Amino acid sequence: QRSVASQGMAAQAAQRANQIEAREQADKLAPMNAMANQIARVRELYGKGPGATRSWTPGALADYLPTDANKAFDTAGRGLGSLGMAAFRVPGVGAQSDAELRDFIETNRPSASDNDVTIQEKIRNLENRLTESYRARGVQYRPKSNTRTAPRKPPAAKFLGFE
């Protein structure tokens, strides 16, 4: 009977250890998951705001106006800052790395006043960094893409021979 009881206790201990490990992994991934969700939100608002206008047309001037769509996009973009610090920071690496990380995030924060190609590249840079952060933890990540990511050619591109 002791053998059966000790096997049951060992199984319970192993199950608890697995639960603790799963909880710790979820805690480590939570900032990256929040960043992934915020990037998806930025993409969504990009499609409704600055990405809704065609580059190189008079309508593109609306990207510089303080419309509700542009304000929402800019606010979502600003939200990437603190989330990025939490998602990408490596504990114990020091202030220099924190400063470099902060610079990376600030440099890649999209704004409605950026042109479409710049916004798309900034989002792509953040997604690449996020993909590598997930990979470092042994997790596969696919960016949530709900808007186009290929830069639009200006309407004159074909006429000018750039197509």
Side-chain angles (χ1 to χ4, degrees):
Q1 284 183 342
R2 269 192 182 160
S3 175
V4 172
S6 64
Q7 286 177 348
M9 289 174 50
Q12 286 177 343
Q15 184 179 13
R16 276 194 300 268
N18 287 339
Q19 289 171 340
I20 290 170
E21 185 178 325
R23 194 173 313 126
E24 288 173 354
Q25 177 73 349
D27 289 346
K28 290 178 185 176
L29 294 177
M32 292 189 301
N33 293 339
M35 183 70 171
N37 290 335
Q38 188 67 14
I39 290 172
R41 178 68 176 150
V42 167
R43 282 187 170 283
E44 176 188 342
L45 293 171
Y46 170 66
K48 295 176 181 178
T53 59
R54 296 201 51 176
S55 296
W56 302 91
T57 65
L61 294 175
D63 293 347
Y64 298 94
L65 299 175
T67 64
D68 288 345
N70 289 344
K71 286 179 187 179
F73 176 77
D74 285 341
T75 300
R78 282 191 299 276
L80 292 169
S82 61
L83 292 173
M85 287 297 293
F88 301 141
R89 186 171 187 284
V90 178
V93 295
Q96 178 66 29
S97 292
D98 284 352
E100 290 170 358
L101 177 57
R102 198 173 358 271
D103 183 52
F104 171 80
I105 293 167
E106 291 301 316
T107 301
N108 288 290
R109 181 182 292 172
S111 169
S113 62
D114 292 336
N115 67 38
D116 288 342
V117 174
T118 301
I119 291 170
Q120 292 163 4
E121 195 59 33
K122 286 179 176 184
I123 293 171
R124 195 172 295 116
N125 289 342
L126 291 168
E127 286 179 335
N128 289 340
R129 180 78 176 251
L130 188 59
T131 298
E132 291 306 314
S133 294
Y134 273 113
R135 185 174 293 138
R137 287 185 168 60
V139 177
Q140 186 175 10
Y141 167 72
R142 293 196 197 304
K144 300 173 183 180
S145 182
N146 53 9
T147 62
R148 70 186 170 281
T149 56
R152 286 182 259 164
K153 293 184 178 81
K158 185 173 182 180
F159 175 75
L160 296 174
F162 293 117
E163 194 166 54

